[in-house]
Amino acid sequence: MSLPTRGRIAYQGEPGANSHIVCRRHYPDWEAVACASFEDVFAAVEGGDADLAMIPIDNSLAGRVADIHHFLPGSSLHIVAEHFLRIQFALMALPGATTQSLRTVHSHVHALGQCRKVIRQLGLTPVISGDTAGAAREVAESGDLTQAAISPPLAAETYGLEVLATDVEDEDHNTTRFVVLSREYVEAERDAGPVVTSFIFNVRNLPAALYKALGGFATNGVNMTKLESYMVGGHFTATQFLAEVDGHPLDLPVARALEELAFFTTEVKVLGVYPADPFRSA
């Protein structure tokens, strides 16, 4: 089975958000559907209102997106692709505003924290908004030349704002990894290029269970690129792990490692087998 060539792809945030940018870049023929929350995104795909979901899962500065790690294990959706986006922020305001006229700057709390230098340089008072694109919309609706927003460049185009400064982020390596989710399980071909396999597992409550569970990946030479843990059902003795490895489950080393993993776990669930984004090798 292969993915459809067009349809509806849901994302969290308002038009002009970074998730919207990734949708337009990699799925230009698809209708991008804005959702208020991650829960709404999952519900849209699971309920058939959208065909795919574009979800941020990790950021090079902020780490994992905690909500996603909460939703993934219980979801019926499957990971079918990944994309990386270099995060770029612009300082934008209403036409006619200048950096001298500005007094406040609006954005998501994480974006404000990632753009401290320009905020301090211009002597602006930060104001927290729900998300970066929403901040641009709020400034556009305010009619106030003293307000600015720190938002993705697409937000300026979307809400009719002027960009006063580009690339205002403090670090030039700020990158977010997105995964694409589908109702259908679509597995990457084995020999069509580098592949990532994502899965979750619960270890048995035994001494050295995690050590033994992961031993098969080491002895079979399988590179594990992610291992995240979180509690299950509020129990301190029940821990679930999200893991990712390089390779396809049909590759003999990966197959042997997964087989060994099963001996020391109560559950193993493959979330997706999908092409590795070229960003990984770059």
Side-chain angles (χ1 to χ4, degrees):
M1 181 179 293
S2 59
L3 288 173
T5 56
R6 63 178 57 200
R8 288 163 56 88
I9 183 167
Y11 67 92
Q12 186 276 328
E14 299 195 29
N18 283 312
S19 295
H20 189 196
I21 291 174
V22 181
C23 290
R24 293 203 352 171
R25 181 173 298 177
H26 295 282
Y27 300 85
D29 296 327
W30 288 61
E31 178 187 354
V33 181
C35 296
S37 68
F38 289 125
E39 189 172 10
D40 291 338
V41 175
F42 277 79
V45 180
E46 289 175 335
D49 292 332
D51 305 288
L52 298 177
M54 180 69 73
I55 295 291
I57 191 170
D58 298 295
N59 177 265
S60 60
L61 295 180
R64 72 181 188 179
V65 180
D67 287 348
I68 303 310
H69 291 251
H70 171 73
F71 286 127
L72 273 177
S75 169
S76 61
L77 303 183
H78 309 278
I79 303 175
V80 294
E82 67 170 358
H83 303 289
F84 290 79
L85 177 68
R86 159 77 164 83
I87 303 300
Q88 295 175 287
F89 288 121
L91 181 72
M92 57 191 68
L94 286 163
T98 66
T99 54
Q100 290 73 32
S101 70
L102 300 179
R103 297 293 179 268
T104 61
V105 60
H106 301 240
S107 197
H108 187 274
V109 62
H110 288 164
L112 293 171
Q114 294 167 12
C115 302
R116 290 190 179 96
K117 292 179 182 178
V118 70
I119 295 173
R120 184 171 59 250
Q121 177 186 344
L122 297 177
L124 303 178
T125 300
V127 178
I128 296 174
S129 298
D131 66 54
T132 54
R137 176 185 53 77
E138 292 166 2
V139 169
E141 293 174 350
S142 73
D144 187 348
L145 296 181
T146 70
Q147 295 185 14
I150 288 177
S151 304
L154 179 59
E157 173 189 332
T158 302
Y159 300 107
L161 299 179
E162 285 189 354
V163 173
L164 302 181
T166 60
D167 297 329
V168 297
E169 61 276 6
D170 296 340
E171 304 291 344
D172 61 4
H173 58 76
N174 186 1
T175 301
T176 295
R177 175 181 172 234
F178 293 80
V179 292
V180 180
L181 305 177
S182 169
R183 287 188 304 277
E184 308 298 333
Y185 181 79
V186 181
E187 188 173 281
E189 295 182 14
R190 181 183 177 188
D191 298 317
V195 168
V196 177
T197 297
S198 296
F199 56 95
I200 55 174
F201 63 92
N202 291 21
V203 295
R204 299 181 185 277
N205 190 22
L206 299 170
L210 180 60
Y211 173 80
K212 294 175 181 177
L214 299 181
F217 296 95
T219 56
N220 285 285
V222 177
N223 184 34
M224 180 170 287
T225 56
K226 173 191 280 292
L227 182 65
E228 299 274 3
S229 67
Y230 41 103
M231 292 185 296
V232 179
H235 299 292
F236 287 91
T237 57
T239 305
Q240 190 171 66
F241 293 88
L242 168 63
E244 294 180 349
V245 298
D246 291 339
H248 197 287
L250 295 178
D251 295 339
L252 190 56
V254 178
R256 286 174 173 170
L258 290 174
E259 182 180 6
E260 189 168 337
L261 175 68
F263 284 109
F264 303 100
T265 58
T266 58
E267 178 189 15
V268 179
K269 176 184 177 182
V270 175
L271 297 177
V273 181
Y274 49 95
D277 189 280
F279 179 89
R280 288 179 179 265
S281 59

